[in-house]
Amino acid sequence: MSLPDSLVLIDVETTGANPVSDRVTEIAVLRIERGEIVARWESLVNPQRPIPSLIQRLVGITDEMVAAAPTFAELADRVRGHLDGAVFVAHNARFDYGFIRNEFSRLGQQFEASVLCTVKLSRALYPEHHRHGLDALIERHGFTCGARHRAMGDTDVLWQFARLVSGSFSADVLARACERAMKLPARPPGLPEGALEGVPDAPGVYSFFGDSDRLLYIGRSASLRARVMEHFSAGGGGSREAGLARQVRRVEWEETAGEFAASLREAELLRARRPLHARPAVGGEEVFGLRLVPQRKRAPIFERVPLHATDPAAWEAVHGTFRTRKEADSLLRELAQLYQLCPRRLGLEGGSGPCGAHEARRCAGVCAGKESIAAHDARLAGALGAVTLRAWPWAGAVVVEERCAHSGREAFHLVDHWCHLGSADSAEALAALLGNVPARRFDLDTYRMLVRWFAAEANLATVRPIENPG
């Protein structure tokens, strides 16, 4: 066989796609020595947590099936024995490898292996094809799969693929393809050897530094290792990512208890340190909303309401959150076109008499006496209802709880009416925070981050309402 002498073909099924937060539910391995199967083993794995219903339907592994199965801790020695000294082979190998590494890491054990990805191997050997997923390989090469999306069924497909390529390509061609399929992400020449190997598969924030230790970039990820490596896989092209990677001389990272904490920390660092490659900073203190002044005869019919560092619970009839007048005017122009509102009454153009939009039949005519101010402003008020600050979903403050399985870190984030009131790293520290709750102070970036976070249904499971904080 022209592939490496010792191979372990492996597939894992899991509770989800995140190797940091999700767990293995099934594992299958085929140990290959010089082209012959010497070990075949599979087992369900109790993930010690519920399997999402979507995953149960897709894979066919239910909570009932794994309830009496051994945990990974009980299987760890057997798994390591099968993998020891062999090349780790899987389809989208970094996925399976990440899960196995994290399962061992939770036990306080290290796991390292050479990794060969059969997706990359297929791309190298069959560049004329665009699809290299497992279903594409089954269809293209006529493989059989007794149980698709089950660990041993998918592993058997990898064995068929391994035998196919071994008999279809010369040793030299196959060796070069394997080298490409096992290649680690590129490392910039200015980055010291070993600088990336310690980046953990854990949530957190990372920073890139260039010459003279200048801060280039700050980012966050649910898996620091995966995201940092992704930066350096851009190769030598002219993309922005590749250009940034070539400038990096040092990498720092900071683990957090979860993605929520990483988002908060990233925003804090961006405000404080202002890296070279970042969105131009705009003063947060300039954020404002608009309040309609009904029945005012002349423009402007809005008053600007400063929002930064104020209490959202005290706002009345405030619409939108804007950093600049240009942002506010852009929204008003859009509403004018959608609802036949008058640009002149909205303060978007000067002059007297009928506006240009009325002459083009895009204004209902308040400027020409064809519509009353009351009717126009009632329609405007209705349109503005869509750009009011989102309603806070809870009666009061909530705590977002996070725990990182990789590091054991915990975090408790106190949030109320879209304001982050503080974070604690233990239940005791949280109790102290709840005993002295800070005032609500609105921050636009935090608001937008919270809206995105709470919009994901899975994240709502981390939320615990607090009664009468402070």
Side-chain angles (χ1 to χ4, degrees):
M1 191 175 191
S2 299
L3 296 170
D5 286 344
S6 297
L7 303 171
V8 170
L9 310 181
I10 184 168
D11 185 77
V12 297
E13 302 302 334
T14 64
T15 60
N18 190 329
V20 174
S21 58
D22 289 306
R23 302 294 298 270
V24 170
T25 59
E26 187 178 41
I27 183 171
V29 299
L30 291 176
R31 176 87 184 207
I32 313 297
E33 296 289 349
R34 294 181 175 82
E36 298 295 332
I37 297 177
V38 298
R40 180 185 181 94
W41 175 76
E42 64 181 314
S43 177
L44 289 169
V45 183
N46 186 337
Q48 300 176 287
R49 66 181 60 186
I51 303 172
S53 57
L54 177 65
I55 301 296
Q56 293 190 47
R57 292 194 297 270
L58 175 66
V59 177
I61 298 176
T62 65
D63 289 332
E64 292 74 20
M65 292 170 62
V66 298
T71 64
F72 190 89
E74 296 172 293
L75 298 171
D77 289 344
R78 188 163 189 180
V79 173
R80 189 178 289 277
H82 284 302
L83 300 177
D84 186 47
V87 175
F88 187 108
V89 183
H91 215 62
N92 290 318
R94 286 291 163 184
F95 175 90
D96 301 81
Y97 186 66
F99 271 94
I100 295 298
R101 275 177 55 90
N102 274 281
E103 291 288 4
F104 277 115
S105 179
R106 293 184 184 99
L107 303 176
Q109 302 178 26
Q110 294 292 320
F111 174 75
E112 300 286 345
S114 298
V115 179
L116 191 160
C117 178
T118 47
V119 173
K120 294 181 179 179
L121 185 61
S122 178
R123 287 174 181 157
L125 294 173
Y126 301 97
E128 69 275 17
H129 296 292
H130 298 292
R131 297 171 54 242
H132 298 274
L134 210 58
D135 287 325
L137 266 59
I138 292 171
E139 179 182 353
R140 184 155 60 238
H141 301 298
F143 298 150
T144 59
C145 183
R148 182 71 177 98
H149 295 302
R150 291 298 300 271
M152 186 54 79
D154 291 352
T155 303
D156 278 332
V157 173
L158 298 187
W159 174 228
Q160 294 172 66
F161 180 70
R163 285 184 293 172
L164 170 70
V165 299
S166 293
S168 302
F169 297 91
S170 68
D172 288 345
V173 169
L174 198 52
R176 288 194 298 271
C178 286
E179 183 179 358
R180 291 176 60 184
M182 296 176 70
K183 187 178 181 180
L184 292 174
R187 179 181 292 107
L191 201 60
E193 184 70 28
L196 301 180
E197 277 64 25
V199 181
D201 283 325
V205 294
Y206 59 94
S207 303
F208 293 159
F209 296 83
D211 291 327
S212 302
D213 222 30
R214 184 176 187 182
L215 180 60
L216 301 174
Y217 185 84
I218 293 174
R220 73 177 189 277
S221 179
S223 176
L224 285 167
R225 183 175 182 83
R227 182 66 185 104
V228 169
M229 291 298 190
E230 185 180 346
H231 277 284
F232 301 118
S233 66
S239 68
R240 178 179 177 274
E241 191 115 328
L244 171 62
R246 287 193 292 269
Q247 299 176 57
V248 178
R249 301 293 179 266
R250 182 167 66 87
V251 179
E252 283 186 357
W253 60 86
E254 181 180 331
E255 290 187 54
T256 62
E259 293 181 71
F260 191 96
S263 295
L264 291 173
R265 183 60 174 155
E266 179 196 36
E268 179 184 359
L269 290 174
L270 286 171
R271 283 193 295 266
R273 303 177 70 178
R274 298 193 177 186
L276 179 63
H277 297 277
R279 173 175 59 82
V282 179
E285 67 279 359
E286 298 177 2
V287 171
F288 65 93
L290 296 176
R291 180 183 288 131
L292 176 63
V293 183
Q295 294 301 305
R296 179 176 282 181
K297 293 184 177 180
R298 295 178 179 272
I301 60 171
F302 293 103
E303 57 182 4
R304 288 171 54 141
V305 182
L307 301 183
H308 183 72
T310 64
D311 183 355
W315 298 351
E316 293 184 6
V318 175
H319 303 285
T321 52
F322 310 101
R323 294 187 188 273
T324 65
R325 178 172 179 171
K326 183 178 179 180
E327 285 186 11
D329 287 352
S330 177
L331 171 69
L332 293 176
R333 286 193 178 91
E334 182 179 348
L335 296 181
Q337 292 180 0
L338 289 173
Y339 299 98
Q340 286 194 300
L341 300 171
C342 179
R344 183 163 294 153
R345 180 154 180 78
L346 298 183
L348 300 174
E349 68 176 57
S352 60
C355 68
H358 179 258
E359 294 176 359
R361 299 184 178 181
R362 295 195 300 271
C363 165
V366 69
C367 54
K370 296 183 177 179
E371 180 183 36
S372 69
I373 289 176
H376 175 278
D377 289 359
R379 195 164 66 257
L380 171 59
L384 288 170
V387 291
T388 303
L389 188 79
R390 295 198 183 197
W392 180 242
W394 295 276
V398 299
V399 170
V400 178
E401 301 180 354
E402 294 185 297
R403 187 178 189 281
C404 176
H406 176 270
S407 64
R409 285 181 173 82
E410 289 184 316
F412 304 85
H413 310 285
L414 184 61
V415 184
D416 189 11
H417 283 79
W418 308 111
C419 298
H420 174 231
L421 305 182
S423 295
D425 59 6
S426 67
E428 293 76 17
L430 174 63
L433 176 61
L434 291 174
N436 187 25
V437 177
R440 292 183 289 256
R441 294 170 59 87
F442 180 78
D443 177 80
L444 181 56
D445 290 330
T446 300
Y447 165 68
R448 289 173 175 173
M449 185 274 283
L450 292 173
V451 168
R452 292 192 299 270
W453 177 266
F454 291 131
E457 186 175 350
N459 293 336
L460 297 180
T462 68
V463 177
R464 175 165 57 90
I466 298 294
E467 294 184 5
N468 301 319

